[in-house]
């Protein structure tokens, strides 16, 4: 089996690994496409500390090539590979692909019923890479007990923030997207998100106008390429509301809780969404989320080292990762 192996910080190389053998309850999946995510870049640069050697790659889809007699999957089915799994022996109780266990930048993966989700024909390969964003949004909606008509403030307008706002609309809430990047706000407008506000000195007044003076009924801070100071979110909330701070990585996030304590605000942390993947697939199958405003680019897997280094250089220079979906085709 062929793999891409991270041998050290900023050094990835092609290598080989033993072939995988299925059991009665497992299936062998050929990885066909994998995403280059912020988490993969952080692993490559050493921003996320890992044990070397490691196969990176957090998000991928593939096709079943062999299936055990008692496996729920069938040969030829297209599947989404689960990147987070429960593990009682792991320090956090979870294992994460491409971080604590080998990820998906490789030829084949061995999976059981907890490690792969069969994709319906109505969910395209491109849409499948939104599953994590939709699943996270679904968990946030449930964790915060969002109800119809509530004004929910979303700080951070990248892909996850854009999808979150669309899911809030799907649940008949009223999202208010805030960001300090005009391009993100314009993209959100084109995606059907009505209230898009810049993070500046007029923000509190603008939110008061939208909410009829009572301020937001809840808020989410998304720590994905977000330059807004996290504690600022408490300035725009009504009393007795909830704030969720979300990140897919162990990213340092310093938050001053003074205003949260003054206003009896509940603070939650959300970092994974494995129990909501099936719901996300159903939502995408029903075309409830649009992603046409986010550019998709396709590359051969041979371009992976070059792209990782390109993004590492962007981050080292103090820039943000470009907001596009880089999909690598794995044809070994």
């Amino acid at each position: 089996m062929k793999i891409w192996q991270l041998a050290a910080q900023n050094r990835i190389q092609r290598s080989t690994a033993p072939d995988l053998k299925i059991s009665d309850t497992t299936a062998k999946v050929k990885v066909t496409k994998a995403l280059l995510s912020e988490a993969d870049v952080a692993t490559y640069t050493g921003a996320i500390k890992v044990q070397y050697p490691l196969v990176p790659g957090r998000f991928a889809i593939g096709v079943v090539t062999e299936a055990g007699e008692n496996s729920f999957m069938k040969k030829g089915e297209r599947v989404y590979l689960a990147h987070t799994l429960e593990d009682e022996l792991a320090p956090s109780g979870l294992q994460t692909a491409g971080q604590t266990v080998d990820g998906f930048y490789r030829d084949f993966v061995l999976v059981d019923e907890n490690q792969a989700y069969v994709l319906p024909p109505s969910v395209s390969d491109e849409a499948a890479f939104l599953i994590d964003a939709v699943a996270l949004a679904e968990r946030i909606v449930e964790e915060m007990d969002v109800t119809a008509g509530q004004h929910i403030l979303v700080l951070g307008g990248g892909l996850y923030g854009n999808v979150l706002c669309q899911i809030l609309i799907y649940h008949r809430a009223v999202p208010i997207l805030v960001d300090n990047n005009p391009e993100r706000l314009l993209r959100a407008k084109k995606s059907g998100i009505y209230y898009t506000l810049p993070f500046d000195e007029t923000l509190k007044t603008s939110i008061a106008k939208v909410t009829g003076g009572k301020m937001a009924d809840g808020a989410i801070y998304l720590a994905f390429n977000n330059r807004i100071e996290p504690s600022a979110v408490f300035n725009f909330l009504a009393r007795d509301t909830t704030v969720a701070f979300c990140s897919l990585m162990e990213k340092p996030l310093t938050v001053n809780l003074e205003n949260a304590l003054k206003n009896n605000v509940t603070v939650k942390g959300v970092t994974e969404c494995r129990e909501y993947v099936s719901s996300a697939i159903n939502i995408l199958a029903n075309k409830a989320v649009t992603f046409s405003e986010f550019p998709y680019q396709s590359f051969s897997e041979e371009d992976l080292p070059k792209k990782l280094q390109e993004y590492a250089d962007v981050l080292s220079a103090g820039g943000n990762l470009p907001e596009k979906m880089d999909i690598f085709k794995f044809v070994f």
Side-chain angles (χ1 to χ4, degrees), residues 102-117:
D102 282 340
F104 303 130
Y105 291 161
R106 49 176 159 157
D107 204 357
F108 291 97
V109 181
L110 201 63
V111 298
D112 62 21
E113 61 182 5
N114 298 311
Q115 297 169 302
Y117 298 81

Side-chain angles (χ1 to χ4, degrees), residues 64-316:
V64 177
T65 58
E66 296 180 58
E69 186 177 348
N70 296 318
S71 170
F72 79 102
M73 287 171 283
K74 298 177 182 178
K75 184 177 179 179
E77 286 185 320
R78 194 169 50 107
V79 296
Y80 173 78
L81 298 169
H83 66 276
T84 304
L85 296 170
E86 290 188 25
D87 185 344
E88 294 179 356
L89 300 179
S92 66
L94 298 171
Q95 294 284 17
T96 303
Q99 183 174 336
T100 59
V101 294
D102 282 340
F104 303 130
Y105 291 161
R106 49 176 159 157
D107 204 357
F108 291 97
V109 181
L110 201 63
V111 298
D112 62 21
E113 61 182 5
N114 298 311
Q115 297 169 302
Y117 298 81
V118 176
L119 293 170
S122 55
V123 176
S124 67
D125 287 354
E126 291 77 14
F129 286 108
L130 295 179
I131 288 172
D132 190 66
V134 176
L136 183 70
E138 282 290 285
R139 180 177 180 187
I140 289 169
V141 167
E142 185 167 307
E143 288 276 350
M144 296 182 63
D145 195 23
V146 173
T147 58
Q150 284 189 321
H151 291 91
I152 305 297
L153 185 66
V154 177
L155 269 66
L159 175 66
Y160 276 74
N162 189 299
V163 169
L164 172 58
C165 287
Q166 293 187 57
I167 293 299
L168 287 167
I169 293 169
Y170 176 76
H171 288 282
R172 297 185 296 159
V174 183
I176 304 171
L177 182 66
V178 175
D179 201 277
N180 47 17
N181 184 324
E183 184 179 345
R184 283 179 166 185
L185 297 178
L186 178 60
R187 186 182 292 124
K189 280 285 188 186
K190 291 180 178 179
S191 300
I193 301 162
Y194 187 76
Y195 294 113
T196 59
L197 302 174
F199 185 80
D200 59 22
E201 65 279 356
T202 68
L203 180 58
K204 193 165 188 175
T205 300
S206 298
I207 292 174
K209 288 180 180 178
V210 172
T211 62
K214 64 185 183 66
M215 306 308 286
D217 299 304
I220 303 104
Y221 182 94
L222 296 169
F224 312 110
N225 284 341
N226 197 341
R227 301 285 184 174
I228 299 173
E229 200 280 311
S231 310
V233 67
F234 301 120
N235 298 323
F236 312 112
L237 290 167
R239 284 188 60 82
D240 301 306
T241 50
T242 300
V243 173
F245 290 93
C246 305
S247 175
L248 298 184
M249 304 182 299
E250 293 81 358
K251 178 180 288 189
L253 200 65
T254 302
V255 182
N256 185 331
L257 295 178
E258 180 181 358
N259 287 332
L261 295 170
K262 285 180 180 178
N263 293 300
N264 202 37
V265 172
T266 299
V267 176
K268 291 178 176 283
V270 180
T271 58
E272 58 84 23
C273 49
R274 66 192 185 282
E275 295 178 1
Y276 297 82
V277 170
S278 294
S279 296
I281 292 172
N282 184 60
I283 288 170
L284 290 165
N286 287 294
K287 314 298 182 186
V289 172
T290 178
F291 53 92
S292 58
E293 295 302 320
F294 286 89
Y296 276 69
Q297 288 191 306
S298 182
F299 301 91
S300 163
E301 49 93 11
E302 294 175 351
D303 293 326
L304 184 59
K306 179 176 67 177
K307 209 66 184 173
L308 279 166
Q309 188 57 50
E310 176 186 323
Y311 287 162
D313 293 341
V314 169
L315 293 177
S316 66

